[in-house]
Amino acid sequence: MRRARLTALGLFDVAYAIDLGKARACCADTPLADEPVASLTFDVPPLRLRYGTVEIPLPGGPVQGEVAVHVYDFGAIALAITCVAEDKAWLHFVDMARHVEEALGFDKASAPWMPLLAEVKARFAPALERPNEAVIQEDYHLIEIDAFAEPLPDVLHRMVDLSPLLAGDPRPLSVEAREVLLRHRFAYLAEDCVVVTRDRALLYQPGGDAGIAAVLEVANAQLLELRYYGNLLDDELPRMYDLVDRTRTVSAFFAPAELSRLARRLYTVWAEVTELTEKVENALEAMGHPYLAQVYTATLELFGVPALGAAVDRKLEIVRDTYAALYDEASVSRAGILEITIVLLIAVELVLAIFK
């Protein structure tokens, strides 16, 4: 294997939204990273920055990892740490990939993710709208092989056993396990080999970058945001039920105001989550090639994004229906108080008329 790149992705939800113009101003002295291929069209293109280097400790000695920061307007930040492997025998390359992944694991106290994230959040602070304190994260690993020392006589997955790379496990796997790992395999050109799994992907594209890495990052960002809003609604629904119960103990005179206030709060939650989830789901507006669309759709299915999106939609329907019921109840309560007020006024007029 002549040259390859090993990239660890860490994606974090850091805010309700990020002003990309302000974010760029905060890093005016930081060089821009390469943009994805032109066949990808973003609703709002992420801000992509080169962000220095970090040292990755490996058994054979430390290696340098280049850090890139990708900032999405819907509140997510992707940190990418990439190291290059050159002139490695295949088995040595497989070992290196596993050691890099272990060194950059989120469970490693020495991994640079949290210090990097804290630094990036502090630097982008003026651009963050309603920053999040809790850390919601996704991680993913990309193995991009650029070239072999000699041209392959056949497709890559037929030449070597890819399962140690894709599983991150050096032990021999069963035939069934290898079949599962290779289930989501794609190719556009005859020699291409793109294999996507839930935790990592292998990209061998001798004909050039087709934009697969950017597509996989966006899919992970969508998964991250839907997880975040799913958790948000999971926390909000019990609070909503408690608040609805409390309105039952309020006196009839104050009930309409209390019901209206709660309805407005629920409508705000529904509107904000709906707006952000639509923005996330439409992050990639178009892909100029059906091959990219095929990989993107299959990756979303593999990550469970459609099911997660449907769950978020169901929770939003509960919030919306509760809002509508509270609004109707507040209107009925107001009408009842108005009717009582009118009856009282008529009674007062009759009493005054009798005394006169």
mmCIF file of all heavy atoms in Angstrom, residues 12-15 18 26 51 69 77 79 114-128 131-136:
data_model
loop_
_atom_site.group_PDB
_atom_site.id
_atom_site.type_symbol
_atom_site.label_atom_id
_atom_site.label_comp_id
_atom_site.label_asym_id
_atom_site.label_seq_id
_atom_site.Cartn_x
_atom_site.Cartn_y
_atom_site.Cartn_z
ATOM 1 N N PHE A 12 -20.134 17.070 17.134
ATOM 2 C CA PHE A 12 -20.696 17.548 18.388
ATOM 3 C C PHE A 12 -21.797 18.568 18.111
ATOM 4 O O PHE A 12 -21.635 19.442 17.250
ATOM 5 C CB PHE A 12 -19.609 18.207 19.248
ATOM 6 C CG PHE A 12 -18.399 17.349 19.481
ATOM 7 C CD1 PHE A 12 -17.343 17.351 18.586
ATOM 8 C CD2 PHE A 12 -18.328 16.524 20.588
ATOM 9 C CE1 PHE A 12 -16.226 16.565 18.786
ATOM 10 C CE2 PHE A 12 -17.210 15.725 20.808
ATOM 11 C CZ PHE A 12 -16.158 15.745 19.908
ATOM 12 N N ASP A 13 -22.896 18.439 18.840
ATOM 13 C CA ASP A 13 -23.922 19.480 18.808
ATOM 14 C C ASP A 13 -23.536 20.509 19.875
ATOM 15 O O ASP A 13 -23.465 20.191 21.054
ATOM 16 C CB ASP A 13 -25.301 18.900 19.116
ATOM 17 C CG ASP A 13 -26.385 19.950 18.981
ATOM 18 O OD1 ASP A 13 -26.541 20.732 19.945
ATOM 19 O OD2 ASP A 13 -27.047 20.019 17.948
ATOM 20 N N VAL A 14 -23.284 21.751 19.464
ATOM 21 C CA VAL A 14 -22.758 22.756 20.393
ATOM 22 C C VAL A 14 -23.703 23.931 20.606
ATOM 23 O O VAL A 14 -23.501 24.713 21.529
ATOM 24 C CB VAL A 14 -21.388 23.287 19.914
ATOM 25 C CG1 VAL A 14 -20.371 22.165 19.850
ATOM 26 C CG2 VAL A 14 -21.495 23.988 18.561
ATOM 27 N N ALA A 15 -24.725 24.094 19.742
ATOM 28 C CA ALA A 15 -25.585 25.268 19.862
ATOM 29 C C ALA A 15 -26.869 25.037 19.087
ATOM 30 O O ALA A 15 -26.983 24.111 18.273
ATOM 31 C CB ALA A 15 -24.876 26.517 19.339
ATOM 32 N N ILE A 18 -25.497 28.276 14.423
ATOM 33 C CA ILE A 18 -24.195 28.941 14.338
ATOM 34 C C ILE A 18 -24.217 29.906 13.164
ATOM 35 O O ILE A 18 -24.567 29.522 12.038
ATOM 36 C CB ILE A 18 -23.048 27.932 14.160
ATOM 37 C CG1 ILE A 18 -23.043 26.910 15.299
ATOM 38 C CG2 ILE A 18 -21.698 28.651 14.097
ATOM 39 C CD1 ILE A 18 -21.991 25.821 15.151
ATOM 40 N N CYS A 26 -14.310 35.027 13.333
ATOM 41 C CA CYS A 26 -13.573 34.622 14.537
ATOM 42 C C CYS A 26 -12.276 33.897 14.194
ATOM 43 O O CYS A 26 -11.384 33.801 15.044
ATOM 44 C CB CYS A 26 -14.436 33.702 15.402
ATOM 45 S SG CYS A 26 -15.891 34.492 16.126
ATOM 46 N N TYR A 51 -6.949 23.431 11.042
ATOM 47 C CA TYR A 51 -6.847 23.899 12.421
ATOM 48 C C TYR A 51 -5.601 23.365 13.123
ATOM 49 O O TYR A 51 -5.637 23.044 14.303
ATOM 50 C CB TYR A 51 -8.107 23.473 13.188
ATOM 51 C CG TYR A 51 -8.490 24.407 14.306
ATOM 52 C CD1 TYR A 51 -9.115 25.615 14.047
ATOM 53 C CD2 TYR A 51 -8.222 24.075 15.629
ATOM 54 C CE1 TYR A 51 -9.479 26.463 15.066
ATOM 55 C CE2 TYR A 51 -8.582 24.919 16.662
ATOM 56 C CZ TYR A 51 -9.211 26.109 16.378
ATOM 57 O OH TYR A 51 -9.563 26.954 17.398
ATOM 58 N N VAL A 69 -11.667 21.605 11.042
ATOM 59 C CA VAL A 69 -12.919 21.924 11.732
ATOM 60 C C VAL A 69 -13.965 22.253 10.680
ATOM 61 O O VAL A 69 -13.735 23.113 9.816
ATOM 62 C CB VAL A 69 -12.745 23.118 12.694
ATOM 63 C CG1 VAL A 69 -14.075 23.471 13.347
ATOM 64 C CG2 VAL A 69 -11.699 22.803 13.748
ATOM 65 N N ILE A 77 -20.634 20.908 15.008
ATOM 66 C CA ILE A 77 -19.232 21.086 14.638
ATOM 67 C C ILE A 77 -18.617 19.703 14.472
ATOM 68 O O ILE A 77 -18.788 18.830 15.333
ATOM 69 C CB ILE A 77 -18.461 21.887 15.700
ATOM 70 C CG1 ILE A 77 -18.875 23.369 15.649
ATOM 71 C CG2 ILE A 77 -16.957 21.759 15.509
ATOM 72 C CD1 ILE A 77 -18.172 24.238 16.681
ATOM 73 N N LEU A 79 -15.044 17.727 14.051
ATOM 74 C CA LEU A 79 -13.592 17.776 14.150
ATOM 75 C C LEU A 79 -13.047 16.551 13.425
ATOM 76 O O LEU A 79 -13.489 15.423 13.695
ATOM 77 C CB LEU A 79 -13.147 17.761 15.614
ATOM 78 C CG LEU A 79 -13.679 18.878 16.517
ATOM 79 C CD1 LEU A 79 -13.188 18.676 17.944
ATOM 80 C CD2 LEU A 79 -13.251 20.238 15.997
ATOM 81 N N MET A 114 -11.858 16.540 23.656
ATOM 82 C CA MET A 114 -12.458 17.524 24.558
ATOM 83 C C MET A 114 -11.654 18.824 24.622
ATOM 84 O O MET A 114 -12.239 19.912 24.572
ATOM 85 C CB MET A 114 -12.649 16.925 25.953
ATOM 86 C CG MET A 114 -13.706 15.825 26.007
ATOM 87 S SD MET A 114 -15.341 16.378 25.429
ATOM 88 C CE MET A 114 -15.484 15.514 23.862
ATOM 89 N N PRO A 115 -10.307 18.764 24.722
ATOM 90 C CA PRO A 115 -9.551 20.028 24.658
ATOM 91 C C PRO A 115 -9.764 20.776 23.344
ATOM 92 O O PRO A 115 -9.916 22.006 23.350
ATOM 93 C CB PRO A 115 -8.096 19.582 24.821
ATOM 94 C CG PRO A 115 -8.171 18.278 25.549
ATOM 95 C CD PRO A 115 -9.428 17.625 25.061
ATOM 96 N N LEU A 116 -9.789 20.045 22.231
ATOM 97 C CA LEU A 116 -10.029 20.698 20.939
ATOM 98 C C LEU A 116 -11.415 21.323 20.900
ATOM 99 O O LEU A 116 -11.586 22.461 20.441
ATOM 100 C CB LEU A 116 -9.888 19.680 19.800
ATOM 101 C CG LEU A 116 -8.493 19.412 19.249
ATOM 102 C CD1 LEU A 116 -8.539 18.268 18.241
ATOM 103 C CD2 LEU A 116 -7.901 20.660 18.596
ATOM 104 N N LEU A 117 -12.417 20.576 21.372
ATOM 105 C CA LEU A 117 -13.782 21.090 21.340
ATOM 106 C C LEU A 117 -13.905 22.348 22.204
ATOM 107 O O LEU A 117 -14.543 23.328 21.799
ATOM 108 C CB LEU A 117 -14.757 20.014 21.828
ATOM 109 C CG LEU A 117 -16.228 20.422 21.865
ATOM 110 C CD1 LEU A 117 -16.732 20.737 20.467
ATOM 111 C CD2 LEU A 117 -17.075 19.331 22.507
ATOM 112 N N ALA A 118 -13.315 22.317 23.395
ATOM 113 C CA ALA A 118 -13.373 23.493 24.278
ATOM 114 C C ALA A 118 -12.709 24.695 23.617
ATOM 115 O O ALA A 118 -13.226 25.824 23.684
ATOM 116 C CB ALA A 118 -12.695 23.166 25.605
ATOM 117 N N GLU A 119 -11.576 24.467 22.957
ATOM 118 C CA GLU A 119 -10.877 25.560 22.273
ATOM 119 C C GLU A 119 -11.710 26.121 21.136
ATOM 120 O O GLU A 119 -11.825 27.339 20.962
ATOM 121 C CB GLU A 119 -9.525 25.056 21.762
ATOM 122 C CG GLU A 119 -8.700 26.104 21.028
ATOM 123 C CD GLU A 119 -7.410 25.532 20.466
ATOM 124 O OE1 GLU A 119 -6.906 24.534 21.022
ATOM 125 O OE2 GLU A 119 -6.923 26.078 19.462
ATOM 126 N N VAL A 120 -12.303 25.231 20.342
ATOM 127 C CA VAL A 120 -13.107 25.668 19.198
ATOM 128 C C VAL A 120 -14.353 26.421 19.672
ATOM 129 O O VAL A 120 -14.711 27.472 19.125
ATOM 130 C CB VAL A 120 -13.486 24.447 18.323
ATOM 131 C CG1 VAL A 120 -14.543 24.831 17.292
ATOM 132 C CG2 VAL A 120 -12.254 23.899 17.623
ATOM 133 N N LYS A 121 -15.027 25.909 20.700
ATOM 134 C CA LYS A 121 -16.220 26.580 21.214
ATOM 135 C C LYS A 121 -15.882 27.963 21.755
ATOM 136 O O LYS A 121 -16.638 28.927 21.541
ATOM 137 C CB LYS A 121 -16.877 25.732 22.303
ATOM 138 C CG LYS A 121 -17.613 24.506 21.787
ATOM 139 C CD LYS A 121 -18.232 23.709 22.914
ATOM 140 C CE LYS A 121 -19.369 24.438 23.569
ATOM 141 N NZ LYS A 121 -20.044 23.608 24.594
ATOM 142 N N ALA A 122 -14.750 28.073 22.450
ATOM 143 C CA ALA A 122 -14.355 29.384 22.975
ATOM 144 C C ALA A 122 -14.046 30.355 21.841
ATOM 145 O O ALA A 122 -14.398 31.545 21.905
ATOM 146 C CB ALA A 122 -13.134 29.218 23.883
ATOM 147 N N ARG A 123 -13.428 29.844 20.791
ATOM 148 C CA ARG A 123 -13.065 30.721 19.676
ATOM 149 C C ARG A 123 -14.290 31.167 18.882
ATOM 150 O O ARG A 123 -14.365 32.281 18.395
ATOM 151 C CB ARG A 123 -12.090 29.988 18.758
ATOM 152 C CG ARG A 123 -11.360 30.903 17.787
ATOM 153 C CD ARG A 123 -10.163 30.221 17.205
ATOM 154 N NE ARG A 123 -9.428 31.128 16.338
ATOM 155 C CZ ARG A 123 -8.339 30.772 15.653
ATOM 156 N NH1 ARG A 123 -7.858 29.551 15.771
ATOM 157 N NH2 ARG A 123 -7.730 31.643 14.876
ATOM 158 N N PHE A 124 -15.275 30.258 18.767
ATOM 159 C CA PHE A 124 -16.481 30.573 18.001
ATOM 160 C C PHE A 124 -17.605 31.140 18.868
ATOM 161 O O PHE A 124 -18.727 31.285 18.390
ATOM 162 C CB PHE A 124 -17.003 29.321 17.288
ATOM 163 C CG PHE A 124 -16.125 28.846 16.157
ATOM 164 C CD1 PHE A 124 -16.061 27.500 15.843
ATOM 165 C CD2 PHE A 124 -15.380 29.734 15.415
ATOM 166 C CE1 PHE A 124 -15.263 27.044 14.803
ATOM 167 C CE2 PHE A 124 -14.579 29.299 14.368
ATOM 168 C CZ PHE A 124 -14.514 27.956 14.065
ATOM 169 N N ALA A 125 -17.325 31.426 20.116
ATOM 170 C CA ALA A 125 -18.386 31.834 21.061
ATOM 171 C C ALA A 125 -19.289 32.935 20.522
ATOM 172 O O ALA A 125 -20.514 32.854 20.668
ATOM 173 C CB ALA A 125 -17.760 32.244 22.397
ATOM 174 N N PRO A 126 -18.768 34.002 19.874
ATOM 175 C CA PRO A 126 -19.660 35.052 19.373
ATOM 176 C C PRO A 126 -20.625 34.568 18.290
ATOM 177 O O PRO A 126 -21.645 35.207 18.033
ATOM 178 C CB PRO A 126 -18.691 36.107 18.809
ATOM 179 C CG PRO A 126 -17.392 35.843 19.494
ATOM 180 C CD PRO A 126 -17.352 34.370 19.692
ATOM 181 N N ALA A 127 -20.301 33.442 17.650
ATOM 182 C CA ALA A 127 -21.141 32.937 16.552
ATOM 183 C C ALA A 127 -22.166 31.920 17.015
ATOM 184 O O ALA A 127 -23.052 31.540 16.245
ATOM 185 C CB ALA A 127 -20.261 32.306 15.473
ATOM 186 N N LEU A 128 -22.075 31.466 18.265
ATOM 187 C CA LEU A 128 -22.965 30.414 18.759
ATOM 188 C C LEU A 128 -24.248 31.019 19.300
ATOM 189 O O LEU A 128 -24.219 31.882 20.182
ATOM 190 C CB LEU A 128 -22.277 29.600 19.857
ATOM 191 C CG LEU A 128 -20.936 28.942 19.503
ATOM 192 C CD1 LEU A 128 -20.435 28.129 20.675
ATOM 193 C CD2 LEU A 128 -21.056 28.066 18.262
ATOM 194 N N PRO A 131 -25.754 28.366 23.099
ATOM 195 C CA PRO A 131 -24.841 27.209 23.213
ATOM 196 C C PRO A 131 -25.395 26.125 24.123
ATOM 197 O O PRO A 131 -26.130 26.393 25.065
ATOM 198 C CB PRO A 131 -23.562 27.826 23.805
ATOM 199 C CG PRO A 131 -23.678 29.289 23.568
ATOM 200 C CD PRO A 131 -25.143 29.612 23.557
ATOM 201 N N ASN A 132 -25.024 24.887 23.834
ATOM 202 C CA ASN A 132 -25.442 23.746 24.641
ATOM 203 C C ASN A 132 -24.372 23.423 25.670
ATOM 204 O O ASN A 132 -23.181 23.422 25.354
ATOM 205 C CB ASN A 132 -25.660 22.509 23.762
ATOM 206 C CG ASN A 132 -26.764 22.720 22.757
ATOM 207 O OD1 ASN A 132 -27.685 23.483 22.990
ATOM 208 N ND2 ASN A 132 -26.661 22.046 21.618
ATOM 209 N N GLU A 133 -24.791 23.137 26.876
ATOM 210 C CA GLU A 133 -23.847 22.719 27.907
ATOM 211 C C GLU A 133 -23.565 21.220 27.787
ATOM 212 O O GLU A 133 -22.435 20.781 27.882
ATOM 213 C CB GLU A 133 -24.403 23.046 29.295
ATOM 214 C CG GLU A 133 -24.517 24.538 29.566
ATOM 215 C CD GLU A 133 -23.188 25.252 29.479
ATOM 216 O OE1 GLU A 133 -22.151 24.641 29.830
ATOM 217 O OE2 GLU A 133 -23.167 26.427 29.064
ATOM 218 N N ALA A 134 -24.624 20.433 27.586
ATOM 219 C CA ALA A 134 -24.448 18.978 27.451
ATOM 220 C C ALA A 134 -23.770 18.661 26.125
ATOM 221 O O ALA A 134 -23.990 19.341 25.124
ATOM 222 C CB ALA A 134 -25.799 18.279 27.539
ATOM 223 N N VAL A 135 -22.926 17.640 26.140
ATOM 224 C CA VAL A 135 -22.210 17.247 24.927
ATOM 225 C C VAL A 135 -22.898 16.038 24.305
ATOM 226 O O VAL A 135 -22.947 14.963 24.898
ATOM 227 C CB VAL A 135 -20.733 16.914 25.234
ATOM 228 C CG1 VAL A 135 -20.032 16.408 23.981
ATOM 229 C CG2 VAL A 135 -20.015 18.139 25.779
ATOM 230 N N ILE A 136 -23.474 16.231 23.124
ATOM 231 C CA ILE A 136 -24.022 15.131 22.328
ATOM 232 C C ILE A 136 -23.033 14.895 21.190
ATOM 233 O O ILE A 136 -22.677 15.828 20.471
ATOM 234 C CB ILE A 136 -25.409 15.487 21.758
ATOM 235 C CG1 ILE A 136 -26.363 15.888 22.879
ATOM 236 C CG2 ILE A 136 -25.981 14.311 20.967
ATOM 237 C CD1 ILE A 136 -26.703 14.768 23.826
#
